Amino acid sequence: MSNGTMSQLTPAPDAWNFAPDEALLGLSALSVRSVLGSIKAGMDPGSDRPVIPLGHGDPSAFPCFRTAPEAVEAVSAALHSGEHNSYPTGVGLEPARRSIARHLSLDLPYELSPDDVAKTARKLGIFVIADEVYAHLTFGKNRFVPMGVFGSVAPVLTLGSISKRWVVPGWRLGWIVTNDPNGVFRRTKLVESIKSYLDISCDPATFVQGAIPELLENTKQEFFNKTVDILRQTADICWEKLKGICGITCPSKPEGSMFVMVKLDLSCLQDIKDDMDFCCKLAKEESVVVLPGCAVGYKNWVRITFAIGPSSLEDGLDRLKSFCSRHSETKK
């Protein structure tokens, strides 16, 4: 159906007549984006202090996390070629799919004992969905191992993207990969079901898909090493500064990803009802935005991202400490 036909069939705004689903409204109100929006709405618009964004986890705003020049060049070349302005197929451009498959195959030559997750899945007769958007962003003693290496034990669906490793969340390109040498997905027609959904879902921008082969092939390892080194540095800063903050407990030092979950001790904090109240008051008083745990299923916890510039992180955590100290003074 053409856009013109669509516009003719679209009713006027007052013609819509339906009751919103309360359950869906409740879920949308607890999305990360909506919760952060509510917190920011209560901030003092007259404050001259820079806002420290420790809630969303978008490092691309900071120069130290700028994406690889090879990635920028790949997108530019794809756009200037004039070959990627059309609609793609629902499953994506063939060259992009081949490049992603080849790129991921480089992660597979591991010789490991079967993973407990894979063994449990096999025992239960189910498959594994592995969210590996943060693949390779590890900086502790444990290295990243792709779940796909255990596909012969239990079938694995791996979810990945360029958003985090290449620090380009706005490019909106991800993938689903099957690791299923025993053919379980083929027999159960799971892949066909996924493809049918992709025929009605929004596609990533075609020129970004067109850039994928060069982006994957040409990005230098030095770029990835630099990103991990900065995350290691900021994770250390986060861990050390959180130790001295009253009312907050960080259970373990982060060794991967871009976030850390910390537990609130409300008995130490005056006039703080819960995690949402904590985050709203922190934003209003200190211009520091963190995510309440209720948005991700952990009431009275707080999620903090350390994927920001080191100086901004130190400033934000110092303000967090001042806030907690101020709200705990009468409890000492």
Side-chain angles (χ1 to χ4, degrees), residues 1-317:
M1 186 177 291
S2 71
N3 289 337
T5 307
M6 282 288 287
S7 65
Q8 294 171 16
L9 295 178
T10 302
D14 60 357
W16 294 105
N17 183 21
F18 63 91
D21 189 306
E22 294 297 329
L24 290 177
L25 288 177
L27 288 174
S28 66
L30 277 181
S31 71
V32 170
R33 181 176 294 178
S34 64
V35 168
L36 290 175
S38 298
I39 292 170
K40 293 174 184 177
M43 297 175 68
D44 179 7
S47 174
D48 58 358
R49 305 178 77 183
V51 176
I52 307 296
L54 300 182
H56 197 72
D58 183 357
S60 65
F62 297 87
C64 62
F65 284 105
R66 196 64 49 81
T67 192
E70 295 85 2
V72 176
E73 290 167 6
V75 170
S76 177
L79 191 58
H80 280 92
S81 73
E83 298 175 1
H84 305 293
N85 297 327
S86 60
Y87 290 116
T89 61
V91 295
L93 298 181
E94 185 66 27
R97 293 169 58 200
R98 285 198 305 267
S99 295
I100 290 169
R102 180 181 178 280
H103 175 71
L104 294 180
S105 70
L106 301 178
D107 285 335
L108 297 181
Y110 292 86
E111 294 183 5
L112 301 168
S113 300
D115 179 79
D116 287 342
V117 173
K119 289 191 290 186
T120 301
R122 180 170 184 165
K123 182 178 179 180
L124 296 174
I126 60 177
F127 62 87
V128 177
I129 301 176
D131 182 350
E132 297 183 0
V133 170
Y134 288 92
H136 300 283
L137 295 180
T138 58
F139 36 84
K141 60 182 180 297
N142 297 316
R143 63 173 177 162
F144 166 74
V145 177
M147 194 67 203
V149 301
F150 306 109
S152 60
V153 180
V156 177
L157 278 181
T158 298
L159 313 181
S161 84
I162 61 173
S163 296
K164 305 302 182 183
R165 198 177 183 206
W166 274 266
V167 201
V168 286
W171 291 8
R172 313 307 295 162
L173 187 138
W175 52 78
I176 302 173
V177 175
T178 62
N179 291 283
D180 179 30
N182 297 320
V184 175
F185 292 152
R186 183 178 64 254
R187 292 195 299 274
T188 58
K189 298 185 177 180
L190 183 139
V191 173
E192 285 76 4
S193 178
I194 293 174
K195 287 181 178 179
S196 68
Y197 170 77
L198 292 175
D199 284 339
I200 61 171
S201 67
C202 295
D203 305 313
T206 312
F207 66 86
V208 177
Q209 294 189 49
I212 286 297
E214 286 192 28
L215 180 150
L216 296 180
E217 181 70 25
N218 296 337
T219 303
K220 295 180 174 62
Q221 185 61 40
E222 288 79 5
F223 165 74
F224 301 123
N225 293 343
K226 177 187 174 185
T227 301
V228 171
D229 286 343
I230 297 172
L231 287 174
R232 183 185 293 109
Q233 176 188 352
T234 54
D236 288 343
I237 291 171
C238 197
W239 171 248
E240 293 300 325
K241 283 192 171 288
L242 287 173
K243 286 180 183 178
I245 299 180
C246 177
I248 286 182
T249 301
C250 184
S252 60
K253 184 177 181 179
E255 296 185 351
S257 184
M258 298 177 176
F259 302 97
V260 63
M261 296 294 296
V262 300
K263 185 166 179 57
L264 298 179
D265 183 353
L266 298 180
S267 68
C268 296
L269 300 170
Q270 181 187 28
D271 300 329
I272 302 292
K273 294 183 298 184
D274 53 27
D275 53 324
M276 187 69 179
D277 189 37
F278 177 92
C279 294
C280 289
K281 289 176 177 174
L282 173 64
K284 185 174 183 179
E285 297 176 24
E286 297 288 347
S287 296
V288 173
V289 180
V290 297
L291 183 74
C294 63
V296 289
Y298 286 89
K299 186 174 177 60
N300 293 333
W301 287 69
V302 171
R303 192 186 78 173
I304 298 173
T305 180
F306 48 85
I308 74 171
S311 61
S312 294
L313 178 62
E314 291 183 347
D315 185 10
L317 293 175

